[in-house]
């Protein structure tokens, strides 16, 4: 490495020599330059890394002494710095020099400053600089200020918390009179808006004005680039607008004009105008749609796609890919260009085209598209391209496969090309699909049979090497489904597997799969010569794992009946009943205890005890504690209910299980296949009997289109014709031609191999259903209405008008559809699948602890008067907070996802008319109260109820807080009055469930530093873990992530977004709670709430 | 954000590498190698964009490059940058280099790598585009060069005075006494209004008494 460094360093001595004044003393010059030179020379002369280390350490310590000595002159300092850089570049820690470098920067001249910059650049990544951000001020000249803004941005990236207070300065920078400073601030805003667009909606107006001025040519001429005003600035602004206007009609409306102007102004005369145009199109399609703009943007895309310039073509394809989901007809317009791009010599263009095709894939064009993808796959060599493409092909194949043969062959190609680089989910999903099957049992069998046959043929080929993963898939399938074969006997299959086993190129992991397959096939085989030979071979294998498998096989082989019962045919999907509590060992344990053995302590308990003795921080609690429950952890979520059942009658199941437990080794084998999730009950499977009646209609349409196309191209050349044919097969099922099928769309495009609805969904459905009980009348009603309208709209749909229709509907419908709208939009045109949309529609509705069905009914009339958006949440009981003879004020809490919404409803009891009524909230220490629009109502009708809405955000955790305010009103007779009130808020009002997966939990858990542990004694009645968790879920709004044996993982967040994780374990009647959070006080408060809840019930 | 700016020649010899994200020395070398590998095998008449290699972050990042004579200019950017915009930025960068070096060639980049870095620093800061106006960049660079020269001149003056003081040779008394005066006149003649705007003038006047030669 050092020679590379030496080369890069050739410039440095020059820089530093340059610094020597011409008439300087020759001696001094020599001593300065030679020090670095001699260092470099001596290092290159060294022979070992060890010697180099030693030398550098010496050098560093001498440097350390020199730089801190007060007598060191500036020149010497500079020389030291150069040597420091050298050491740093060699990879040694010279951080002690940083501060000296900064000092030097303050006193030195320009050259010295440059040396310092060189040494500081590696340090910029360290966080030490973050505090320096505060010293930047905004009073310098433009260029300095511009740089300062960018520096602030950097600090913001490194440590967002440190620079909270300078957000106001960003705003100042945005309004700066210097364009450069303003442009620099856009970097910051682009980033921050990307993270959280809702917080900066108020700035939309400013951005629009700026863009208007830029586009209108109001900037000085020196900002022009090829006579385009500040193109980079425009690009930035357009991006920001796109982010701001996303899914937000009101904000989008603000920018329609300026976008229109940008599109108009961008005359195509230079590359950079295309850049602006591209951003413009992107923005138009990101924001809330407007048909005129969309039309213009579509035209622009056409210009891109048809451009002879290859860069523009690439961008055109990119734009198409982006747009295609909203407007598939556009792809039809450019189909010929797309076909040409498929055969383009540039692989990048090809890949972009494939990406585009991937987006428009449906059941009819799948074969052509996947074929194209496979062609590309065979050509490409880069790993990430293969990984990416293989994943896409597998996904498409699974979704739209037209028949079994095609599916298996495609997957074979995927496995043999993607091999060992592909995502492990692909083979797992494939096996799961095979094992679980789909709707039709005979179909399933055929698919399996075909798979088995194709694998046997593949294995027959000589001198072909398959990736290990593919071999694993093969061995599993052969082991499970060889029984379906008519011709080949199990012996033949075993012989083939054995041949593979003897092969040296097969990894030991694959060998384990192979021998598992052999084991499964052995009971079906009649003669067992090969098996015996195999056993003989591997019982002396050096690989202990293989040896164990061989021994297991050997012993099983001696008892064929047992083997048959143990390895039944086609049962891979059935649950293995595992006695997680190992209760069948109770007798053994009791005996052991009676003989004086120490009682068993779980792993984590031992760990805790050890820790408490050692007083050492435990950095990986989960890595350790889970290992003890690893076995049960394997269970899929479906096992949860099962697990709890077992704990109830463990003795019984334990007895049943003793048989199989003798054969523990084999169970491990099963453990691998047990990876496949358990089959769940079929009752919840709404997709079970999905017919595909539209198939024939679709095909007819397909043919019709093909014919039409063909008739058009009769006169064209043969090559053209081929392309046309390809086009017609690629773009079938897109756009307006196929609108006949739109009604049935949902069915036809639904996954061919629809998996049985996921266990998780079923589970969440279960848990939410209890919550939904009280509000079901609410949601189901609106749901029905929504569904009706939805279907109506689908009938009327015509291609690109679709989105507009949705927006129309959304205006008509109640607020619930409003929240659904983005979801709907996201669904691509060609994969609209209505049933699944509603199947996934698990509306989370918070159920306030104190509210009951009756109260909801009572409130419903009141609720209807709330502003629209509140209707989806159920308000709490009305609480009268104050009243007098004329008015009464009651308050509701609405637990919204992102804040607490307080609603004060003022009822006018007198017959008089109010002139005005105002509600004001006193600022409170812990809360941030924001008024929601539509709060102040000028005239209150007599005897009517008016409501005021405030959203409340919490600023720091607390247990109980008070929100006080007053209402002032004017009566008609100029009589004005005031009424004070106060409302109690608890921390719980700001806790929301945090939905994360167990893996995320594990990661988060390790990253949080603040933890609180506490053991709670429970009463007898609540001793079971599920009931405890249920209580916590209901009362504290915690989200249950997973239950593992007697441990439970829960998570919640304090609004706006402070997560808190809870790990609880039930041991006898003690509940051990363990909180962790990024906030130091939150765990304590939550623990307090938990205690309260547990005492309460 | 721009992740890295790389310049290498047709044979893959790096001429400039600037990373705006922390990578270890080894990774940087690998990134350069990988990028060269990706870029060099592309024909002349294909598009200037391609997906970044695995090291620099996979398909989230794009490589945008231009090929000028013997040199490849490669910008590695993330999704928040506009491709065509960056393409023009490369053009601006090269044109600026051309202006500063007067008909720039590969050798200029080799022998004046510090200057190239300075020019780049005027255009891109911390991975963000700072200035895209060529004239403005050239002005800044010129101003820096001027300042550098004047500082050198000052140092030269002080240096000769020091030499005279220490060696105590038979220099004329007038010469000895004249040195500070010459320095002062040099400061005066520096034509302060022309000193670049971004440099704090006060700095210089403070610095003079601090010069080591006074010790």
């Amino acid at each position: 490495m050092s020679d590379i460094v030496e080369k890069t360093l050739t410039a440095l001595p020059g820089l530093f020599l340059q610094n020597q004044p011409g008439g300087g003393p020759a001696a001094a010059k020599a001593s300065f330059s030679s020090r670095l030179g001699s260092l470099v020379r001596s290092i290159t002369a060294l022979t070992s890394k060890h010697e180099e280390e030693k030398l550098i350490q010496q050098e560093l310590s001498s440097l350390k002494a020199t730089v801190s000595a007060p007598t060191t002159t500036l020149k010497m300092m500079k020389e030291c710095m150069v040597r420091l850089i050298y050491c740093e570049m060699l990879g040694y820690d010279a951080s002690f020099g940083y501060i000296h470098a900064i000092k030097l920067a303050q006193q030195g001249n320009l050259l010295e400053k440059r040396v310092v910059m060189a040494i500081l650049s590696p340090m910029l990544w360290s966080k030490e600089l973050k505090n320096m951000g505060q010293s930047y001020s905004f009073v310098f000249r433009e260029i300095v200020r511009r740089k300062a803004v960018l520096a602030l941005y950097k600090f913001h990236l490194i440590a967002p918390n440190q620079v909270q207070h300078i957000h106001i300065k960003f705003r100042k920078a945005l309004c700066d009179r210097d364009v450069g400073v303003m442009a620099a601030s856009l970097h910051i805003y682009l980033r921050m808006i990307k993270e959280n667009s809702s917080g900066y909606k108020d700035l939309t107006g400013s951005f629009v004005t700026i863009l208007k001025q830029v586009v209108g040519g109001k900037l000085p001429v020196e900002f022009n680039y090829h006579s385009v005003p500040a193109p980079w600035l425009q690009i930035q602004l357009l991006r920001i607008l796109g982010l701001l206007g996303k899914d937000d009609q009101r904000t989008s409306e603000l920018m329609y004009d300026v976008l229109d102007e940008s599109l108009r102004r961008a005359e195509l005369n230079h590359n950079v105008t295309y850049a602006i145009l591209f951003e413009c199109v992107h923005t138009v399609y990101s924001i809330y749609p407007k048909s005129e703009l969309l039309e213009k943007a579509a035209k622009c895309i056409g210009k891109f796609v048809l451009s002879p310039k290859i860069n523009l073509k690439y961008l055109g394809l990119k734009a198409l890919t982006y747009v295609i989901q909203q407007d598939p007809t556009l792809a039809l317009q450019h189909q010929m260009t797309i076909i040409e791009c498929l055969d383009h010599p540039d692989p990048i263009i090809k890949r972009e085209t494939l990406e585009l095709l991937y987006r428009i894939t449906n059941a009819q064009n799948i074969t052509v598209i996947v074929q194209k993808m496979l062609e590309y796959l065979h050509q490409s060599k880069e790993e990430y391209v293969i990984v990416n493409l293989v994943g896409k092909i597998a996904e498409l194949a699974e979704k739209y496969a037209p028949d079994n043969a095609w599916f298996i062959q495609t997957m074979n190609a995927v496995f043999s090309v993607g091999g060992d680089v592909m995502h492990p989910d692909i083979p797992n999903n494939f096996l799961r699909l095979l094992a679980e099957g789909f709707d039709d049992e005979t179909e399933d069998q055929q698919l399996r049979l075909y798979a088995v046959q194709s694998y046997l043929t593949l294995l027959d080929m000589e001198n072909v090497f398959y990736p290990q993963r593919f071999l694993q898939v093969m061995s599993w399938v052969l082991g499970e489904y060889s029984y379906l074969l008519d011709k080949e006997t199990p012996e033949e299959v075993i012989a083939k597997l054995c041949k593979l086993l003897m092969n040296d190129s097969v990894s030991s992991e694959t060998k384990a799969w192979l021998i598992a397959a052999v084991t499964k096939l052995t009971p079906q085989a009649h003669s067992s010569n090969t098996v015996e030979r195999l056993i003989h071979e591997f019982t002396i294998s050096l690989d202990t794992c293989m040896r164990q498998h061989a021994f297991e096989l050997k012993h099983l082989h001696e008892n064929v009946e047992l083997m048959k019962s143990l390895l039944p045919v086609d049962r891979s999907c059935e649950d293995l009943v595992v006695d997680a509590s190992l209760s069948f060992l109770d007798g053994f344990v009791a005996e052991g205890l009676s003989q004086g053995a120490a009682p068993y302590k779980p792993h984590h308990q031992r760990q805790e005890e050890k820790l408490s003795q050692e007083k050492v921080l435990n950095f990986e609690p989960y890595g350790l504690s889970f290992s003890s429950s690893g076995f049960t952890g394997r269970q899929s979520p479906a096992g949860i209910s099962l697990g709890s059942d077992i704990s109830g009658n463990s003795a019984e199941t334990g007895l049943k299980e003793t048989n199989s437990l003798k054969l523990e080794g084999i169970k491990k084998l099963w453990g691998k296949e047990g990876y496949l999730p358990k089959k769940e009950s079929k009752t919840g499977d709404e997709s079970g009997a999905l017919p595909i009646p539209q198939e024939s209609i679709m095909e007819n349409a397909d043919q019709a289109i093909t014919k039409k196309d063909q008739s058009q191209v009769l006169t064209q050349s043969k090559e053209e014709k081929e392309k046309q044919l390809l086009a017609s097969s690629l773009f079938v099922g897109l756009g307006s031609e196929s609108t006949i099928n739109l009604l049935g769309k949902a069915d036809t495009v639904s996954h061919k191999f629809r998996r049985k609805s996921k266990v998780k969904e079923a589970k969440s459905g279960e848990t939410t259903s209890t919550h939904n009980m009280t509000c079901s009348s609410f949601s189901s009603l609106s749901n029905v209405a929504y569904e009706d309208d939805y279907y109506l709209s689908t009938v009327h749909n015509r291609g690109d008008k679709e989105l507009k229709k949705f927006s129309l509907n959304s205006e008509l419908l109640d607020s619930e559809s409003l929240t659904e709208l983005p979801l709907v939009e996201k669904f691509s045109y060609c994969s609209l699948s209505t049933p699944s949309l509603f199947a996934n529609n698990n509306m989370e509705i918070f159920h306030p602890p104190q509210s009951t069905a009756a109260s909801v009914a009572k409130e419903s009339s009141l609720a209807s008067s709330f502003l629209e958006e509140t209707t989806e949440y159920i308000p709490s009981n009305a609480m009268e907070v104050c009243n007098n003879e004329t008015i009464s004020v009651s308050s509701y809490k609405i637990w919204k996802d992102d804040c607490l919404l307080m609603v004060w409803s003022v009822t006018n009891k007198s017959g008089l008319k109010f002139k005005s009524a105002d509600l004001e909230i006193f600022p409170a220490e812990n809360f941030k109260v924001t008024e929601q629009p539509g709060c102040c109502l000028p005239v209150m009708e007599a005897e009517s109820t008016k409501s005021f809405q405030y959203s409340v955000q919490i600023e720091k955790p607390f247990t109980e807080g008070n929100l006080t305010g007053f209402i002032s009103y004017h009566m008609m007779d100029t009589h004005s009055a005031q009424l004070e009130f106060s409302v109690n808020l608890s921390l719980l009002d700001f806790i929301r469930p945090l939905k994360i997966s167990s893996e995320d939990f594990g990661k988060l858990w390790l990253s949080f530093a603040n933890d609180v542990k506490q053991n709670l004694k429970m009463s007898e009645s609540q001793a079971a873990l599920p009931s405890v968790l249920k209580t916590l879920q209901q009362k504290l709004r915690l989200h249950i992530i997973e239950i593992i044996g007697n441990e439970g993982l829960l998570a919640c967040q304090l609004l706006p977004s402070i997560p808190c994780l809870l790990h609880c374990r039930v041991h006898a009647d003690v509940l051990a709670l363990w909180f962790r959070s990024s906030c130091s006080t939150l765990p304590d408060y939550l623990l307090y709430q938990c205690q309260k809840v547990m005492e309460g019930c | 954000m721009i992740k890295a700016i790389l310049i290498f020649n047709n044979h893959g010899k790096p001429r400039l590498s600037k990373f705006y994200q922390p990578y270890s020395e080894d990774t940087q070398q690998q990134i350069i190698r990988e990028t060269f590998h990706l870029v060099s095998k592309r024909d002349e008449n294909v598009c200037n964009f391609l997906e970044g290699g695995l090291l620099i972050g996979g398909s989230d990042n794009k490589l945008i490059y231009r090929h000028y004579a013997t040199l490849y200019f490669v910008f590695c950017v993330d999704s928040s940058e506009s491709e065509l915009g960056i393409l023009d930025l490369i053009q601006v960068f090269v044109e600026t280099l051309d202006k500063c070096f007067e008909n720039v060639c590969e050798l200029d980049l080799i022998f004046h790598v510090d200057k190239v870095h300075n020019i780049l620093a005027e255009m891109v800061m911390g991975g963000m585009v700072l200035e895209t106006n060529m004239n403005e960049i050239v002005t800044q660079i010129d101003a820096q060069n001027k300042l550098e020269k004047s500082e050198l001149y000052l140092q030269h003056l002080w240096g000769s005075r020091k030499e005279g003081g220490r060696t105590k040779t038979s220099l004329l008394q007038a010469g000895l006494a004249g040195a500070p005066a010459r320095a002062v006149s040099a400061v005066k003649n520096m034509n302060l209004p022309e000193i670049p705007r971004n440099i704090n003038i006060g700095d210089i006047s403070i610095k003079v008494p601090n010069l080591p030669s006074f010790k």
Side-chain angles (χ1 to χ4, degrees), chain A residues 23 107 109-110 114 125 141 146 153-154 187 222 225 232 239 270 311 314 318 346 348 351 382, chain B residues 20 41-42 46-49 51 79-80 83 85 88 118 126 128-129 131 133 144 148 151 197:
Chain A
Q107 354 177 313
N109 60 21
L110 194 66
R114 284 193 184 151
W125 313 117
R141 290 173 182 283
R146 202 186 303 176
Y153 171 63
K154 267 289 182 217
H187 285 293
E222 62 248 35
Y225 175 77
W232 285 279
R239 286 199 169 219
H270 190 262
N311 285 340
Y314 170 81
K318 251 187 111 167
D346 188 352
I348 300 293
R351 198 149 85 244
E382 275 114 39
Chain B
Y20 295 101
K41 68 175 181 205
R42 291 176 62 78
V46 292
C47 70
N48 300 59
F49 320 119
E51 274 169 36
S79 59
S80 68
E83 288 99 337
D88 273 283
N118 286 344
M128 281 153 300
V129 181
E131 179 62 70
N133 188 342
Q144 279 183 27
E148 201 175 306
E151 273 178 357
R197 286 175 298 163

Side-chain angles (χ1 to χ4, degrees), chain A residues 141-411:
Chain A
R141 290 173 182 283
E142 285 77 31
I143 181 78
V144 180
R145 282 191 295 143
R146 202 186 303 176
K147 288 189 174 177
V149 170
L150 286 186
L152 278 181
Y153 171 63
K154 267 289 182 217
F155 293 132
H156 175 75
L157 288 187
I158 294 169
N161 302 331
Q162 295 273 326
V163 286
Q164 288 287 335
H165 60 282
I166 55 171
H167 279 210
I168 189 82
K169 291 208 169 136
F170 290 157
R171 287 195 184 224
K172 252 190 219 161
L174 182 66
C175 307
D176 199 280
R177 68 200 143 73
D178 181 69
V179 184
V181 178
M182 186 267 291
S185 74
L186 289 183
H187 285 293
I188 304 169
Y189 277 106
L190 184 62
R191 168 82 182 203
M192 292 199 297
I193 289 171
K194 201 179 261 175
E195 280 162 6
N196 167 28
S197 67
S198 57
Y200 300 93
K201 298 269 184 199
D202 54 323
L203 284 173
T204 314
S206 321
F207 291 126
V208 168
T209 332
I210 295 171
L211 183 58
K212 231 176 227 162
Q213 286 172 358
V214 174
V215 173
K218 299 266 164 59
L219 288 186
V221 195
E222 62 248 35
F223 285 96
N224 284 9
Y225 175 77
H226 289 265
S227 70
V228 181
W232 285 279
L233 188 63
Q234 287 194 41
I235 292 170
Q236 288 266 20
L237 279 168
L238 285 167
R239 286 199 169 219
I240 290 177
L241 288 185
L243 288 172
L244 279 173
K246 197 165 191 178
D247 306 326
D248 186 340
Q249 190 179 1
R250 223 156 40 95
T251 320
S252 298
E253 272 162 7
L254 292 173
M255 48 186 93
Y256 288 151
D257 282 345
V258 73
L259 287 177
D260 194 34
E261 177 134 354
S262 301
L263 278 177
R264 203 159 40 81
R265 288 249 184 183
E267 292 140 13
L268 301 174
N269 54 7
H270 190 262
N271 230 353
V272 87
T273 21
Y274 280 105
I276 297 173
L277 216 52
F278 179 76
E279 289 309 322
C280 231
V281 169
H282 202 276
T283 308
V284 166
Y285 274 97
S286 321
I287 62 171
Y288 194 87
K290 187 190 181 195
S291 58
E292 286 167 46
L293 277 178
L294 288 180
E295 242 168 66
K296 280 183 190 168
K299 255 187 219 156
C300 284
I301 292 180
K303 277 183 209 160
F304 275 100
V305 175
L306 296 174
S307 164
K309 282 184 192 162
I310 193 136
N311 285 340
L312 300 184
K313 195 162 262 196
Y314 170 81
L315 287 178
L317 285 173
K318 251 187 111 167
L320 266 185
T321 314
Y322 183 75
V323 160
I324 210 85
Q325 286 158 359
Q326 296 179 29
D327 189 0
T329 49
L330 213 54
L332 285 176
Q333 281 171 26
H334 300 296
Q335 45 178 307
M336 287 322 289
T337 323
I338 296 174
I339 300 294
E340 271 161 28
C341 289
L342 262 184
D343 295 324
H344 203 277
D346 188 352
I348 300 293
I349 296 269
K350 257 192 200 172
R351 198 149 85 244
E352 201 56 44
T353 319
L354 287 180
E355 176 75 36
L356 172 65
L357 290 179
Y358 165 72
R359 302 284 173 98
I360 59 167
T361 309
N362 57 28
Q364 293 131 56
N365 56 19
I366 168 91
T367 32
V368 197
I369 288 179
V370 168
Q371 190 201 338
K372 288 280 165 198
M373 284 178 157
L374 284 175
E375 274 168 26
Y376 185 84
L377 192 63
H378 287 302
Q379 289 164 10
S380 51
K381 285 177 192 67
E382 275 114 39
E383 190 179 313
Y384 64 93
V385 176
I386 296 176
V387 173
N388 186 329
L389 212 52
V390 152
K392 278 178 182 156
I393 297 175
E395 187 197 327
L396 290 177
E398 206 174 282
K399 259 190 203 168
Y400 303 112
D403 58 64
N404 292 335
W406 184 89
F407 178 63
I408 296 295
Q409 261 156 19
T410 308
M411 288 314 278

Side-chain angles (χ1 to χ4, degrees), chain A residues 927-1047:
Chain A
F927 306 110
K928 202 176 88 192
V929 184
T930 344
E931 196 174 329
Q932 295 288 62
C935 164
C936 181
L937 303 151
V939 180
M940 290 181 85
E941 295 298 324
E943 276 299 342
S944 66
T945 310
K946 293 290 168 197
S947 49
F948 299 91
Q949 287 191 54
Y950 286 84
S951 76
V952 186
Q953 292 278 15
I954 189 164
E955 278 180 339
K956 61 174 196 227
F958 64 98
T959 32
E960 297 265 306
N962 246 333
L963 207 59
T964 52
F966 62 88
I967 177 145
S968 59
Y969 55 93
H970 280 275
M971 301 299 273
M972 255 336 192
D973 49 359
T974 68
H975 158 78
S976 121
Q978 259 192 13
L979 209 55
E980 274 201 33
F981 60 82
S982 83
V983 187
N984 252 330
L985 293 178
S986 134
L987 180 74
L988 290 183
D989 291 326
F990 299 94
I991 296 287
R992 301 287 179 269
L994 179 63
K995 289 189 182 131
I996 53 174
S997 65
S998 305
E999 290 89 59
D1000 292 338
F1001 183 91
K1003 277 182 215 151
L1004 277 178
W1005 184 269
L1006 292 179
S1007 66
F1008 290 160
N1010 307 300
D1011 74 354
V1012 170
K1013 261 194 268 186
Q1014 178 85 38
N1015 287 342
L1016 296 181
K1017 204 111 174 128
M1018 294 185 294
S1019 59
E1020 299 263 306
S1021 61
Q1022 41 170 222
L1025 182 69
S1027 73
V1028 172
L1029 293 185
K1030 212 167 169 190
T1031 320
L1032 291 177
Q1033 187 186 25
Q1034 282 172 356
K1035 300 276 169 82
L1036 298 181
R1037 296 196 196 93
L1038 303 179
H1039 172 62
I1040 303 179
I1041 298 167
E1042 202 176 349
I1043 304 176
I1044 303 164
N1046 61 347
E1047 296 173 29

Side-chain angles (χ1 to χ4, degrees), chain A residues 516-656:
Chain A
V518 172
T519 315
K520 277 183 262 181
L521 287 174
T522 308
Q524 297 163 27
H526 301 292
S527 73
S528 50
N529 290 337
T530 17
V531 178
E532 270 156 19
R533 226 181 44 235
L534 193 76
I535 292 170
H536 182 71
E537 179 89 15
F538 280 99
T539 39
I540 50 165
S541 165
L542 284 178
D543 186 340
T544 45
C545 179
M546 288 306 291
R547 207 156 66 211
Q548 190 195 345
H549 284 306
F551 273 113
E552 281 158 8
L553 180 58
K554 187 179 169 192
H555 287 290
L556 277 176
H557 192 53
E558 283 159 8
N559 189 348
V560 179
E561 280 313 304
L562 174 66
M563 196 167 186
K564 274 186 180 161
S565 66
L566 183 68
L567 301 165
V569 167
D570 191 20
R571 293 282 183 76
S572 62
C573 291
E574 274 166 38
D575 279 331
L576 273 182
V577 185
V578 176
D579 184 4
S581 64
L582 302 181
S583 57
F584 54 88
L585 286 174
D586 283 352
F588 177 77
V589 173
E591 198 183 324
L593 284 176
S594 68
Q595 284 173 2
Y600 173 73
K601 287 174 189 161
H603 192 177
H604 48 79
Q605 197 179 337
R606 269 179 288 159
Q607 208 70 31
E608 278 168 29
E609 281 172 14
K610 215 165 109 192
L611 281 177
S612 61
Q613 283 163 4
E614 289 177 5
K615 303 267 185 233
V616 179
L617 275 174
N618 181 6
F619 287 108
E620 342 174 77
Y622 269 86
L624 295 170
S625 67
F626 274 141
S627 59
S628 65
S629 55
F631 198 81
T632 47
R634 262 252 153 101
Q635 286 182 332
S636 72
I640 291 168
S641 56
L642 200 90
S644 54
D645 281 346
I646 289 172
S647 57
N649 52 5
S650 60
E652 250 182 63
T653 43
L655 275 175
K656 262 192 252 161

